[in-house]
Each structure stands twice: as C-alpha cells, then as structure tokens.
Amino acid sequence: MGSTNTSGDLSSEMEVDAFRRLFPLHFHERHLLESIRTDARPLGKARDTSLALGAVASANGSALAKIGCTTMLAAIKMEVMTPTTESPDEGCIVIDFHMPPICSPIVRPGRPAEAAPVVSKQLSDTILSSGMIDLKELSLVSGKAAWMAYLDIYCLDADGALFDAALLSAVAAFSHLEIPVVSLNDDGRVVVVSDEDGGKLDKEAVNKEKRKLKLSSVSFSLTCILHKNYILADPTAEEESIMETLMTVDCVALTRQRVKELQKILNEAISDMEVD
C-alpha cells in the first residue's frame, strides 16, 4: 500500500508540474482565485528580506541584500577627482548595475542582459534625485579635490523585483560607507592615507578621521504586478514573465501610512484600466 501511495503522489506531482509548464498563466490564475500565490504567499505580502553589511572587505562600503531568492551585492570604492567648474564644491556618484550569466538562465554569456541598463538608469535617477546624498559632503578642497564614489551592484540571483533589491543594497552600502582619511602632499595634491601609515601624516589631514556619509533620507521601492483585478506585491521572476502590467513605486522612508497610500494609488490605477 505504501508503494502504491508513493507512486500516486509522484504521478500527481508530475501532472501538476506539466500543467504549470504548459499553461503557466492559467496555473497562476487558479491560485489567484483563492487569494493566494503559487509560493503560498497572500497577494499583498512581500518575500522575506535580509541584509548583511560589510560583505566586501576591500570596498569602502558594501552590503549583501536578499528579497526572497533575489540577491544583490553592492560595493563602493572611493577615489579622489577634480570637481567640475560648474560644481566646484561637489563630488560625484557613478552607478553601474551588472547581471552576470550566473544570475539567471535567460542571461547568456557574452551578451549583456537587457534589464541591466534599465535598472542602472533607474538607480541613478532615484539615488541622485531623491536628495538622499548631499554631494557637497563629498567635497575635499573647493575647486581642487572631491570624492568620486563608484557604486557597483552585482545581481547574483535574479528572481524578480530586481530594482527593489538593487536599491536596497545600494542604500545599505552607502549607510555602511566610511570615507577615507586624506591629506595634502608637498605638491598640494590630495593623498589617501592608508591604514599602513599608522596615522602618521607629513601634512595636516583634510579630514582627520574616517567618517560616515550622512544620508538625509532613505529610499525604498515596491514593485507590484497589476493583473486583471489583482495586485501582487513583490513578484517573482516567473510572475513577472507571464502577467500583464508591472509597476514600481519609489518611496522615501516608507511607513505604514505610506503603504496605505500606495495601496490606494494601485487600486485607482486598476479602476482606470478597467474603465479603459
């Protein structure tokens, strides 16, 4: 009897898997009728999120962020640059988003992922326009020297909501960032003081100790799928690939009240779609 039940269970699992592969949208919609998703989440529930700071020892700031299986590694390296004449008292931030072939079966070796430049631009627009970082904080010597912060984000596992996880890792990396100590040499150039120098400086330091970068706000985002009359928060890669409309909303210091407002906006958007 035990072997018969085992054989029956296996056969049922194979039938369900075959149905899911052949008719993925119908498979998901049958779950939505019960107000549940294929991973057993309620429609509005996001996946578990985790953060680990200092994931890259050689970086000035770094973080590993996970939303469900979606995994992002963010690292920041600081370099001294000459500021532009238009902004002599400001530093600069350069952001690159990378999707290596290991992150997803749809990313092929030797071919750039289509989503990479889109996410990279979204990150730049969000971080620079949110006012989260005051670029004047990156200034060293007016008109002569400022910090260039190179932020690289690597997608290690692309299982949906890429921008949400990438932004989370970027904010965490900036919160972990320590700005190095620098001094002026005999030529008047800014020199980064390494730990091997033991704090011995020939010239007075421009900044006397490592310091944290002040964040005036904290930016988050929430990606949702609008499918018929359903709202699915924090979609997986499978859900994104088969459903109708994807919407990402950027928020600053997300609160419960803001979540309610976001829900109202999404409901209004669905009503407008049904009217059209």
Side-chain angles (χ1 to χ4, degrees):
M1 291 294 290
S3 60
T4 302
N5 290 337
T6 301
S7 177
D9 292 343
L10 181 60
S11 176
S12 298
E13 289 179 7
M14 292 177 64
E15 290 177 0
V16 171
D17 186 61
F19 179 69
R20 182 171 188 166
R21 291 175 180 273
L22 292 172
F23 308 101
L25 182 57
H26 189 40
F27 178 80
H28 280 265
E29 287 180 338
R30 289 187 64 174
H31 285 76
L32 296 181
L33 291 173
E34 304 297 329
S35 297
I36 198 168
R37 295 153 77 172
T38 56
D39 57 5
R41 278 188 292 158
L43 304 190
K45 182 175 176 59
R47 293 169 291 178
D48 291 339
T49 301
S50 63
L51 269 176
L53 300 180
V56 182
S58 59
N60 299 113
S62 61
L64 182 71
K66 293 191 68 175
I67 299 179
C69 290
T70 301
T71 308
M72 299 287 172
L73 178 65
I76 303 171
K77 290 290 286 185
M78 304 293 286
E79 289 189 7
V80 178
M81 68 163 194
T82 302
T84 63
T85 54
E86 293 81 7
S87 304
D89 297 316
E90 293 184 356
C92 187
I93 298 173
V94 176
I95 301 171
D96 280 318
F97 179 74
H98 310 271
M99 292 186 68
I102 61 168
C103 77
S104 171
I106 65 174
V107 180
R108 300 299 178 87
R111 298 181 182 179
E114 294 181 2
V118 177
V119 176
S120 185
K121 187 177 188 307
Q122 282 182 303
L123 288 168
S124 296
D125 292 344
T126 300
I127 292 174
L128 296 177
S129 65
S130 66
M132 181 176 71
I133 298 171
D134 184 1
L135 296 180
K136 293 183 182 296
E137 283 227 4
L138 299 178
S139 178
L140 288 168
V141 181
S142 180
K144 294 183 178 180
W147 287 112
M148 172 84 79
Y150 290 96
L151 169 62
D152 286 286
I153 301 175
Y154 295 87
C155 179
L156 305 183
D157 194 339
D159 188 26
L162 300 186
F163 177 70
D164 298 352
L167 181 59
L168 178 62
S169 70
V171 173
F174 276 117
S175 70
H176 176 256
L177 174 65
E178 284 190 339
I179 298 178
V181 178
V182 293
S183 67
L184 295 174
N185 64 12
D186 293 334
D187 298 327
R189 294 185 177 183
V190 174
V191 179
V192 178
V193 180
S194 65
D195 294 335
E196 288 75 14
D197 293 330
K200 297 179 181 179
L201 305 175
D202 294 333
K203 298 289 183 179
E204 184 177 355
V206 177
N207 55 314
K208 298 183 182 297
E209 59 183 16
K210 290 183 179 180
R211 62 182 177 87
K212 291 285 189 179
L213 186 65
K214 295 179 181 178
L215 302 182
S216 58
S217 62
V218 178
S219 296
F220 295 95
S221 66
L222 176 63
T223 297
C224 295
I225 280 180
L226 309 182
H227 181 72
K228 296 184 177 179
N229 60 330
Y230 301 105
I231 301 174
L232 282 67
D234 182 25
T236 63
E238 183 181 15
E239 289 171 335
E240 289 182 352
S241 67
I242 62 176
M243 302 220 184
E244 295 173 354
T245 306
L246 198 66
M247 175 184 291
T248 300
V249 179
D250 300 333
C251 304
V252 178
L254 195 64
T255 62
R256 290 184 181 180
Q257 181 61 34
R258 186 55 179 158
V259 171
K260 292 180 180 179
E261 293 174 359
L262 179 58
Q263 189 74 22
K264 181 180 178 182
I265 292 172
L266 293 174
N267 288 331
E268 290 175 352
I270 289 179
S271 298
D272 292 339
M273 290 171 61
E274 291 175 347
V275 170
D276 294 340

